[in-house]
């Protein structure tokens, strides 16, 4: 009998739902989530706990615990008589998430700007150069990861903890959607790198908070617009 997420009640897990760094539950969670994010486990993929446990060299208990967490995050869906499967991508949720993130991340970047030092700018610029190098042999998953690293430098000094929390929630929601926009509009990646440099220039030159916020918001919105344009074009060509 195949074990699924619904069987979590049988044999209670011995670790917390959050897991602890280095624990088998945390390792299983990180591995399965990474495979969902990079597309190894695509939407609809059936997650057989026993098979995953064998693959990871652990018992079913930590895998079951990991699946519980992923289900709570929306990455995994449980269906009766089917079991645990990888959730599909909701384009409407992606739209709302990107719209919201453009607003809160723009505000966080503007508030953070006066606190960004030369070392921070150098770190962000180094990440952006990695992104530029990534364009040669484009890897959308790596590019997206670097993109988050870049923006983290720009908003991490935001003194308003509530706005910063909203930014982190937005990024986490994007991760749960697993939609690397650059996978669908790789051409947008080139513009993104150039816009990053423009943002750094504004910060270095002491531009006004309003100017920095507007640039950060437009940068995020431009990625969303490119994705929507591509999606609409695909819908039209399908008819």
């Amino acid at each position: 009998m195949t074990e699924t997420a619904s069987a979590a009640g049988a044999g209670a897990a011995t670790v917390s739902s959050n897991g602890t760094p280095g624990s088998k539950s945390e390792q299983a969670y990180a591995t399965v989530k990474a495979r969902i994010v990079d597309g190894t486990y695509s939407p609809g993929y059936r997650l057989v706990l026993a098979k995953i446990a064998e693959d990871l060299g652990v018992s079913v208990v930590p895998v079951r615990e990991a699946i519980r967490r992923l289900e709570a995050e929306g990455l995994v869906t449980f269906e009766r008589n089917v079991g645990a499967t990888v959730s599909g991508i909701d384009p409407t949720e992606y739209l709302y998430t990107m719209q919201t993130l453009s607003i809160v991340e723009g505000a966080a970047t503007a508030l953070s700007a006066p606190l960004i030092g030369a070392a921070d700018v150098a770190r962000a610029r180094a990440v952006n150069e990695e992104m530029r190098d990534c364009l040669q042999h484009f890897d959308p998953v790596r590019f997206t990861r670097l993109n988050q690293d870049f923006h983290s430098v720009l908003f991490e000094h935001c003194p308003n903890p509530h706005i910063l929390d909203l930014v982190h929630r937005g990024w986490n929601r994007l991760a749960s959607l697993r939609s690397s926009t650059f996978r669908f509009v790789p051409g947008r990646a080139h513009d993104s790198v150039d816009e990053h440099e423009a943002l750094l220039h504004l910060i270095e030159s002491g531009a006004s908070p309003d100017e920095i916020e507007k640039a950060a918001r437009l940068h995020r919105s431009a990625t969303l617009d490119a994705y929507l344009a591509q999606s609409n074009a695909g819908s039209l060509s399908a008819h």
Side-chain angles (χ1 to χ4, degrees):
M1 179 176 176
T2 301
E3 295 196 60
T4 62
S6 66
T14 57
V15 294
S16 69
S17 59
N18 289 327
T20 56
S23 71
K24 291 181 179 180
S25 174
E26 186 65 27
Q27 291 171 11
Y29 166 80
T31 299
V32 175
K33 184 170 184 176
R35 291 178 181 179
I36 291 174
V37 172
D38 69 18
T40 300
Y41 295 161
S42 58
Y45 182 90
R46 189 178 178 209
L47 299 167
V48 181
L49 274 63
K51 176 65 175 66
I52 295 174
E54 180 183 2
D55 183 35
L56 299 181
V58 298
S59 70
V60 171
V61 173
V63 176
R64 183 188 300 129
E65 194 70 19
I67 295 300
R68 274 180 173 175
R69 292 177 61 186
L70 294 168
E71 184 178 5
E73 294 176 10
L75 283 169
V76 171
T77 301
F78 178 78
E79 297 180 43
R80 188 177 297 278
N81 299 324
V82 175
T85 59
V86 177
S87 303
I89 296 170
D90 185 338
T92 302
E93 181 67 13
Y94 175 77
L95 168 64
Y96 293 157
T97 298
M98 286 289 281
Q99 287 177 335
T100 303
L101 190 55
S102 72
I103 296 171
V104 296
E105 188 178 63
T109 301
L111 290 171
S112 181
L115 304 174
I116 294 176
D120 299 313
V121 171
R123 182 157 56 101
R125 186 164 277 129
V127 173
N128 202 41
E129 286 307 308
E130 283 191 67
M131 296 178 73
R132 197 180 298 280
D133 291 341
C134 188
L135 296 174
Q136 302 302 316
H137 302 285
F138 194 57
D139 178 350
V141 174
R142 178 169 179 262
F143 190 89
T144 297
R145 184 166 57 249
L146 289 171
N147 185 51
Q148 181 172 1
D149 290 343
F150 173 86
H151 284 287
S152 293
V153 177
L154 301 193
F155 64 66
E156 66 184 6
H157 292 301
C158 176
N160 186 319
H162 298 293
I163 292 178
L164 192 57
D165 179 62
L166 290 173
V167 174
H168 287 151
R169 286 172 182 269
W171 275 101
N172 288 338
R173 194 168 291 116
L174 280 182
S176 73
L177 292 171
R178 299 176 322 290
S179 182
S180 170
T181 307
F182 302 107
R183 185 191 302 277
F184 304 102
V185 285
R188 168 65 190 147
H190 292 77
D191 293 336
S192 184
V193 170
D194 292 338
E195 290 165 15
H196 284 175
E197 182 57 39
L199 263 173
L200 290 176
H201 179 71
L202 286 175
I203 293 171
E204 284 181 309
S205 64
S208 70
D210 286 345
E211 190 174 0
I212 292 173
E213 181 173 357
K214 181 180 179 181
R217 287 182 64 175
L218 288 176
H219 169 66
R220 176 69 57 194
S221 297
T223 299
L224 174 59
D225 291 344
Y227 175 79
L228 293 176
Q230 180 68 26
S231 297
N232 290 337
S235 297
L236 291 174
S237 64
H239 290 82

